[in-house]
Amino acid sequence: MANANMNCWPLIVIGGSSERNQETMGAFQEFPQVEACRLYSKFSARPTSIEGIPSVIEKAVRISIYGRPGACYVDIPADFVTVQVNVNSIKYKECCMPPPVTMAEASAVCLAASVIRSAKQPLLVIGKGAAYAHAEENIRKLVEQCKLPFLPTPMGKGVVPDNHANCVSAARSRALQFADVIVLFGARLNWILHFGLPPRYQPDVKFIQIDICAEELGNNVKPAVTLLGDINAVAKQLLEQFDKIPWQYPPESKWWKRLREKMKSNEAASKELASKISLPMNYYTVFYHVQEQLPKDCFLVSEGANTMDIGRTMLQNYLPRHRLDAGTFGTMGVGLGFAIAAALVAKDRSPGQRVICVEGDSAFGFSGMEMETICRYNLPIIVLVVNNNGVYQGFDADTWKEIVKFQDPVTVAPPMCLLPNSHYEQVMTAFGGKGYFVQTPEELQKSLKQTLEDTTKPSLINIMIEPQSTRKAQGLAATSLPLISEETLDLDFQQC
């Protein structure tokens, strides 16, 4: 519930609780559930009677989807299960109306368009709020009509395809730090975007904040313009302004040149790492070969430390609402549940559409027994476990043996290290799915090809990589620099 609420996703949880006549007596699992759930939900309530259930459910549904979506909790006492009432006494409620579409003030839209036109180094940031609002058509038109660079947040990927010419993900740090006007489409200035503060941004950067939640406007940074409303509706309002007075940002500007230079150098660095032929493989080699074979319409689920972080930059999304990861709350253990849900959606709406779940080995450990669920329902999910024997980094088998040779591993083994060369693929085969243990690019290519061709059963590919493999070399931490220059600050901090 906390994860859904922080990510602004509608969720209704119906929970059982102890009998009302046993309250304060120490009933089985007695706990103040309604009160506890208020901490991480938009609405938390217990119907006072059977007759009151429809009204509470209708309100929970309405609150979960109106305004900024979120979690709602409805508590059902155990004695409700056996209570009998006259059916005529129940007042059924009609389903609520669809969420109202709100639009920004016309004067604010005009001001926002004026600020964008005056920008020397503009940037659009596309958040998952834009994906939820189905704003892809209008935002893409805005990007292409005005020739603006854009940067997606992790679950905003695909609103405009990652391979679009105006996507500057490969120059993320430079784009954020040197932009003078930043338009936030359903993206919050939280830790993922470094709170909108220097040194990650210019001290005088102008933010145009577009959000459906009034309380979010002005968080951490005072915006130059606030546009309160539905992301899709507001994007359309902005488009109308640029239709009235056509304007394009010059494609050959110094800003575009600087961004393209950084994109080119960063892509070259990633390509160099991906092309290494030494074994064990590194992250970039793995993701390069995975990206080559992934269907463009696949649902991509990702969680882990370096696995999720590096995978975000290497694995591309071409469609909106096709990427799920640890999100704003950074919650580990959600990936396999997300993959199961995505597979059920695909089965119902688009049979044959694949679900690819990319897990770090530690992240897989949180909910690895969901392999039984996946196999029980015969969901053809492809699980990739990028295995470096630990969280962030681990040890190879020989080093591990030396470490624990003379002392108890409880006292000498770093807690972030896991058992080397664990055969996670056997968890899948234990329940009837297919498992692969791969150590080379050729084995990875072959196993992934086989799993993509087989749509009849789930599979898990356990991909062994260099235990000390990490991200490509980064610059100095921004907080350690008294003066920040473009040359010294080229950071791409971990992003969930």
Side-chain angles (χ1 to χ4, degrees):
M1 288 178 68
N3 189 62
N5 215 45
M6 291 293 288
N7 280 311
C8 312
W9 293 335
L11 172 71
I12 296 175
V13 175
I14 301 175
S17 60
S18 50
E19 297 183 19
R20 291 173 296 168
N21 61 2
Q22 295 176 354
E23 282 186 8
T24 75
M25 296 175 64
F28 175 67
Q29 294 185 345
E30 182 180 354
F31 189 76
Q33 292 168 200
V34 176
E35 293 85 347
C37 289
R38 286 199 182 105
L39 292 172
Y40 38 82
S41 66
K42 291 183 70 180
F43 173 72
S44 181
R46 171 195 283 184
T48 57
S49 64
I50 295 288
E51 293 88 342
I53 289 178
S55 294
V56 173
I57 292 293
E58 186 276 339
K59 188 170 186 178
V61 171
R62 179 161 36 87
I63 291 176
S64 73
I65 60 176
Y66 275 35
R68 172 180 283 174
C72 293
Y73 175 70
V74 178
D75 193 71
I76 305 294
D79 51 295
F80 275 22
V81 177
T82 55
V83 168
Q84 292 188 351
V85 297
N86 187 328
V87 69
N88 295 322
S89 67
I90 298 176
K91 296 179 180 179
Y92 290 100
K93 297 273 288 187
E94 289 186 12
C95 185
C96 64
M97 298 287 287
V101 176
T102 54
M103 300 174 71
E105 293 180 25
S107 59
V109 177
C110 289
L111 177 58
S114 175
V115 172
I116 293 170
R117 287 190 182 98
S118 67
K120 291 183 171 55
Q121 299 183 164
L123 177 69
L124 306 185
V125 176
I126 303 172
K128 63 174 173 282
Y132 184 84
H134 291 251
E136 52 268 19
E137 183 178 348
N138 284 323
I139 291 179
R140 182 167 185 166
K141 283 181 181 177
L142 185 66
V143 166
E144 293 177 348
Q145 184 171 319
C146 297
K147 309 295 185 187
L148 291 165
F150 75 90
L151 176 71
T153 64
M155 281 186 276
K157 283 161 65 73
V159 170
V160 183
D162 284 345
N163 63 347
H164 193 283
N166 291 33
C167 180
V168 295
S169 290
R172 179 179 183 270
S173 294
R174 179 169 294 189
L176 291 177
Q177 195 204 357
F178 294 102
D180 63 352
V181 172
I182 297 178
V183 186
L184 301 169
F185 282 98
R188 292 172 283 178
L189 291 176
N190 54 22
W191 68 275
I192 292 177
L193 288 175
H194 318 291
F195 313 106
L197 299 172
R200 294 298 312 223
Y201 297 82
Q202 293 295 304
D204 57 352
V205 61
K206 294 178 180 177
F207 285 103
I208 298 173
Q209 197 170 4
I210 307 172
D211 206 285
I212 199 168
C213 178
E215 290 81 1
E216 186 63 38
L217 302 174
N219 271 350
N220 298 321
V221 175
K222 184 178 179 180
V225 188
T226 58
L227 301 175
L228 176 64
D230 175 82
I231 306 297
N232 189 38
V234 176
K236 187 175 182 180
Q237 287 180 284
L238 281 171
L239 267 174
E240 290 169 354
Q241 287 295 315
F242 291 110
D243 285 338
K244 289 178 187 176
I245 308 174
W247 172 85
Q248 286 186 347
Y249 184 71
E252 301 307 318
S253 66
K254 289 183 179 179
W255 177 231
W256 261 121
K257 183 180 179 182
R258 293 170 73 187
L259 291 174
R260 290 185 181 118
E261 285 174 352
K262 179 51 68 174
M263 289 167 65
K264 188 176 180 180
S265 64
N266 281 346
E267 287 166 353
S270 295
K271 188 174 181 180
E272 182 182 354
L273 285 166
S275 64
K276 286 186 179 298
I277 59 174
S278 58
L279 294 177
M281 294 180 284
N282 62 50
Y283 285 103
Y284 294 86
T285 303
V286 168
F287 289 132
Y288 171 78
H289 290 293
V290 171
Q291 174 62 34
E292 275 195 322
Q293 295 195 51
L294 281 189
K296 285 195 171 185
D297 67 344
C298 71
F299 288 107
L300 190 59
V301 180
S302 182
E303 65 173 336
N306 284 333
T307 297
M308 181 177 67
D309 193 24
I310 300 171
R312 170 182 55 81
T313 65
M314 296 287 289
L315 302 178
Q316 300 211 320
N317 286 86
Y318 307 98
L319 298 171
R321 299 170 295 281
H322 277 61
R323 176 184 166 87
L324 289 164
D325 63 25
T328 308
F329 218 31
T331 314
M332 291 294 106
V334 296
L336 293 171
F338 285 171
I340 291 168
L344 290 170
V345 169
K347 184 178 181 180
D348 180 56
R349 300 184 186 178
S350 51
Q353 190 174 13
R354 304 311 301 269
V355 176
I356 315 296
C357 184
V358 184
E359 300 271 310
D361 47 342
S362 178
F364 178 80
F366 278 92
S367 49
M369 288 304 288
E370 293 295 349
M371 294 304 99
E372 188 276 335
T373 311
I374 292 170
C375 290
R376 180 169 12 116
Y377 292 111
N378 198 33
L379 301 173
I381 298 168
I382 299 173
V383 181
L384 307 179
V385 178
V386 184
N387 189 350
N388 69 340
N389 301 336
V391 184
Y392 288 111
Q393 292 180 323
F395 292 119
D396 60 36
D398 291 338
T399 304
W400 178 264
K401 286 178 183 177
E402 287 300 314
I403 289 174
V404 301
K405 191 172 184 179
F406 302 109
Q407 295 188 60
D408 187 339
V410 172
T411 58
V412 297
M416 294 172 73
C417 295
L418 303 175
L419 275 174
N421 303 339
S422 295
H423 284 266
Y424 298 112
E425 78 284 355
Q426 293 181 8
V427 181
M428 177 64 87
T429 58
F431 296 113
K434 289 187 175 181
Y436 302 84
F437 183 83
V438 306
Q439 296 175 292
T440 68
E442 294 75 22
E443 291 173 347
L444 174 58
Q445 290 171 316
K446 182 179 178 181
S447 60
L448 188 54
K449 184 174 185 292
Q450 290 175 355
T451 58
L452 286 168
E453 289 173 349
D454 185 358
T455 60
T456 63
K457 61 171 55 180
S459 57
L460 188 153
I461 304 176
N462 187 15
I463 307 166
M464 301 307 302
I465 67 168
E466 167 57 51
Q468 297 295 306
S469 178
T470 185
R471 298 165 52 102
K472 65 179 184 289
Q474 304 294 308
L476 296 173
T479 52
S480 68
L481 298 172
L483 294 173
I484 306 299
S485 69
E486 183 174 344
E487 290 69 30
T488 56
L489 181 59
D490 177 28
L491 304 174
D492 204 2
F493 283 8
Q494 177 179 332
Q495 181 181 15
C496 282

